[in-house]
Amino acid sequence: MTERHDGNQIQNDILDMFLHSESEAVSGEQLSQQLGLSRTAVWKQIKQLESYGFQFEASPRIGYRLTFAPDELMEPLVKMHVANESTLGHTVLWAPDRESTNQTATALARDGSPHGIVVTARQQSGGKGRQGRIWTSPSGGMWFSVLVREPCALSQAADLTLLASVAVHRALVSEGVQAQIKWPNDILVHGKKVCGILAQMRTDGETVEYAVIGIGINANFSAELFPPEMREYATTILDTLGRPVFRPRVLGHIINELSTIYRALEQGVGGFRTVREEWKANAHTLGRKIQVRMGNTVIHGVAEDVDDNGVLILCDDSGEKHHIHSGEVLFSAAEQV
Ligand code: BTN
């Protein structure tokens, strides 16, 4: 749990003081006394926060006033939107650069970090997608991973990502994004991918010991930052809404939804079954002609339904039904997506 003791905590404490000061100036003396830091150390922290986009007005003998806060996924900003009863998001570990939030969260899980911590980053240099793909993660996106301990039985592991897509879908819709869910757990807008989910877990016999739910949302940047071929199938919230969203609020909302959904799963009263109708009402996949690649095999057909366990029912060109547990859904070239 080394991260808790780095600059993160001091910065969070400083930001908390400013955010709760109702735009009043906070004196250097106040900061240094309450935080147990020298005035020079306080000044250095302020300079670092400025390098992250915060703006302060400094007046001699009066102190500092926070005049602008960027919409980074930092703990003090995110926690203003996390419900008191949430079991997730009590700790949010932000960093300007990480290789991959999933990688950090997995290392923290191995070190014994508690259920519910959320790891975030302004940008990722080695973001991981499914099937070992690279996940392009520039500044402006929402790159985060949630650690959940003993969330469910191994037999329900697939529910973790299916349910996460429902949580993200709810939060994006409430921001005015016309989001749809692509089986098993991508979020699309006008047929283009805006969010991907990668769960990595450690199992112990029949239970999931812990899972790291990694969520990447192409939020406040333009798709022009993507390589040209990627723009064919990926988009961003900024491009589709024509305006940015306030990322700490969106993350707070996702955390609250996830907390409720995962708590029910953990207590044995939840699972995909309980959100199936909502999932179906917002599915992009159903009724479409698709191809599913499973290993080296590709099955062509129409996606007919999703059952209580989140299994996709595909009717192939000869009328035979296939139950697809996992795999890769590719839309056929003939299909307009
Ligand atoms: C996919 O291929 O659709 C899954 C993409 C998952 C990307 C997110 S970004 C935050 C977290 N950290 C990673 O390295 N990957 C996930």
Side-chain angles (χ1 to χ4, degrees):
M1 289 200 279
T2 47
E3 286 241 10
R4 208 53 289 201
H5 305 292
D6 69 8
N8 247 321
Q9 189 55 53
I10 295 168
Q11 260 164 34
N12 290 346
D13 290 345
I14 292 183
L15 284 178
D16 272 334
M17 283 180 74
F18 280 107
L19 292 169
H20 295 111
S21 71
E22 310 280 337
S23 319
E24 291 292 313
V26 183
S27 73
E29 183 63 29
Q30 238 176 312
L31 285 162
S32 86
Q33 276 195 355
Q34 286 201 19
L35 302 165
L37 295 175
S38 69
R39 297 284 285 270
T40 313
V42 167
W43 181 82
K44 279 192 183 153
Q45 291 290 339
I46 298 274
K47 288 287 143 202
Q48 188 160 48
L49 286 167
E50 282 178 343
S51 77
Y52 298 151
F54 289 88
Q55 289 171 17
F56 297 91
E57 202 177 77
S59 321
R61 287 186 301 280
I62 297 179
Y64 302 94
R65 212 164 56 80
L66 178 66
T67 54
F68 177 78
D71 78 327
E72 294 294 348
L73 300 181
M74 292 170 146
E75 182 173 289
L77 300 175
V78 174
K79 279 178 80 169
M80 292 174 102
H81 303 278
V82 174
N84 288 338
E85 58 275 19
S86 171
T87 59
L88 310 173
H90 39 78
T91 299
V92 179
L93 297 172
W94 178 86
D97 291 286
R98 292 189 190 278
E99 192 174 329
S100 151
T101 57
N102 264 35
Q103 193 182 64
T104 307
T106 305
L108 290 169
R110 277 198 216 107
D111 279 2
S113 282
H115 174 84
I117 64 159
V118 179
V119 178
T120 62
R122 183 169 57 189
Q123 59 186 33
Q124 299 184 115
S125 55
K128 294 180 200 339
R130 289 200 303 269
Q131 324 265 324
R133 293 195 199 99
I134 291 168
W135 183 262
T136 308
S137 319
S139 160
M142 294 178 64
W143 322 123
F144 62 97
S145 303
V146 183
L147 169 63
V148 286
R149 288 198 175 272
E150 299 190 5
C152 58
L154 185 56
S155 58
Q156 279 194 298
D159 283 29
L160 291 170
T161 47
L162 288 159
L163 292 172
S165 67
V166 171
V168 174
H169 180 266
R170 286 179 187 170
L172 294 191
V173 167
S174 80
E175 295 287 332
V177 180
Q178 290 180 20
Q180 285 190 302
I181 309 174
K182 175 182 162 191
W183 185 89
N185 48 45
D186 289 343
I187 304 289
L188 309 183
V189 181
H190 306 311
K192 289 188 175 186
K193 185 157 166 171
V194 82
C195 165
I197 301 172
L198 172 70
Q200 295 180 291
M201 50 195 89
R202 186 179 154 124
T203 58
D204 178 13
E206 285 307 300
T207 57
V208 175
E209 189 185 320
Y210 64 76
V212 167
I213 315 297
I215 301 180
I217 304 176
N218 303 331
N220 298 343
F221 62 92
S222 163
E224 281 175 16
L225 292 187
F226 291 143
E229 65 282 4
M230 206 176 144
R231 282 179 232 151
E232 300 289 312
Y233 60 85
T235 188
T236 73
I237 292 180
L238 180 67
D239 285 356
T240 56
L241 275 189
R243 59 174 166 81
V245 285
F246 187 63
R247 292 176 295 163
R249 178 182 61 226
V250 181
L251 178 53
H253 193 164
I254 294 172
I255 287 172
N256 294 337
E257 295 290 352
L258 266 185
S259 169
T260 309
I261 290 180
Y262 280 173
R263 197 177 309 154
L265 179 71
E266 196 185 295
Q267 291 169 348
V269 293
F272 184 74
R273 182 180 49 85
T274 60
V275 297
R276 177 171 170 236
E277 289 312 316
E278 178 183 351
W279 193 98
K280 283 177 68 170
N282 294 292
H284 180 268
T285 314
L286 298 185
R288 283 176 193 266
K289 211 161 191 282
I290 59 168
Q291 314 171 34
V292 177
R293 185 172 54 209
M294 297 175 76
N296 293 330
T297 322
V298 177
I299 307 170
H300 298 252
V302 174
E304 281 198 335
D305 203 358
V306 175
D307 74 10
D308 271 356
N309 299 312
V311 172
L312 183 71
I313 298 157
L314 182 79
C315 184
D316 74 15
D317 297 345
S318 67
E320 191 185 338
K321 291 199 195 302
H322 299 262
H323 288 71
I324 317 288
H325 288 258
S326 64
E328 185 78 335
V329 176
L330 301 169
F331 291 91
S332 89
E335 192 68 25
Q336 239 210 329
V337 293

